[in-house]
Amino acid sequence: MPKITYFTSESVTEGHPDKVCDQISDAILDSMLEQDPNSRVAAECLTTTGTVHVAGEVTTKAYVDVQKVVRDTLKDIGYINPKFGIDYADAGVWSAIHEQSADISQGVTEGEGADKEQGAGDQGMMFGFACDETEELMPFPITMAHKLTARLAAVRKLGIIKDLGPDGKSQVSVRYVDGKVDKITAIVIAQQHLDTVEEEELRKEIKEKVIDEVCSKWIDSETEIHINSTGKFVIGGPHGDAGLTGRKIIVDTYGGMGRHGGGAFSGKDPSKVDRSAAYMSRYVAKNVVAAGLATKCEVQLSYSIGVAKPTSVNVDTFGTGTASDEAISKAVASVFDLRPKAIIEQLKLKRPIFRKTAAYGHFGRDDPDFTWEKTDKADELKKACE
């Protein structure tokens, strides 16, 4: 008898209130890195009806007009109509950004840390994951969920479906047979709209112009499809729910497949290993799978604040490895430098590239700025395991 299992992942659009905050936090980070690549930034954001609050700690030579960054980001997302709960032109914007703690800075700055090289910006553990379910070497459920929300944003911005708001969500349930993707069994879509929209017509358009465009190969007459299943979705965005930076960490990563260390990404410069080491662990895991050393791989790194060398490195191939996990771990140690400064240099993380990571996932993206998605170490890893 075949083994049948099910797995579900969700995504949210760029207009979801939590994602609005992630994008604002990363837009502030980018603005500082653009002027001062050595900026240390921890920018947090909260939004609710008609307001945005920014707070955090920075060490930078840059000057950033926070008001302008916030309003430009809201405008780019599509919050240009007060009916959607916030409007870029007249939203209230509050800023409370201050200098980074000197106690943290002395441990992170090269030459001043305990081991005389740049240490980690905090303690913690980070996970990276890769598998062969998609050409992106990402889990299939989160990949499809992101494609649906990206398509929702595209049909809104291009006017393919009229009178849509920026807020939206997707959810995809997948059936696996003996560990392989078989079909999509359920799709859930929530899409904000103006109150003039006829709900049945909207459901028809979303089915034809979003779901069928993205998922036609994987659905059939038995696939459950739920679109705005409460009956309508008019009140949304920051008016419907308050948003916070860092509250969509599973959407940002692997959709629940593979573990998560708990640290969010957005608003943090790369000296924060919550971000940089999570990117590095994805880079390592993806290269392991690309090398044919496993069909599924999870990498865990851990760090102590102010210390450069990881406190642990673990590779788990879930029994799919063509070499032992121990052998792959040794190959990883010989091929990758996992100290914070080396990670930043290897992945070129002092560039202002982060706002675009803050919607539709930090991983599995075909973009040259996403250096952690390269598989340029696969051959070297493979040789190291021979």
Side-chain angles (χ1 to χ4, degrees), residues 10 12-25 45-48 77 79 167-169 237-238 241-249 251-252 266 358-359:
E10 70 162 352
V12 298
T13 65
E14 63 209 67
H16 185 283
D18 292 332
K19 276 286 139 213
V20 169
C21 291
D22 285 342
Q23 290 166 92
I24 289 171
S25 293
C45 182
L46 176 150
T47 184
T48 186
I77 291 168
Y79 279 110
D167 196 0
K169 301 177 80 172
D241 289 289
L244 291 170
T245 300
R247 204 161 56 178
K248 285 292 176 282
I249 60 175
V251 171
D252 283 343
S266 290

Side-chain angles (χ1 to χ4, degrees), residues 38 59 66 89 148 157 198-199 226 229 240 354 371 373 381:
N38 295 314
T59 299
V66 173
L148 285 169
K157 290 181 170 181
E198 210 289 311
E199 198 72 39
H226 304 278
S229 52
F354 294 107
T371 50
E373 291 298 311
L381 266 178

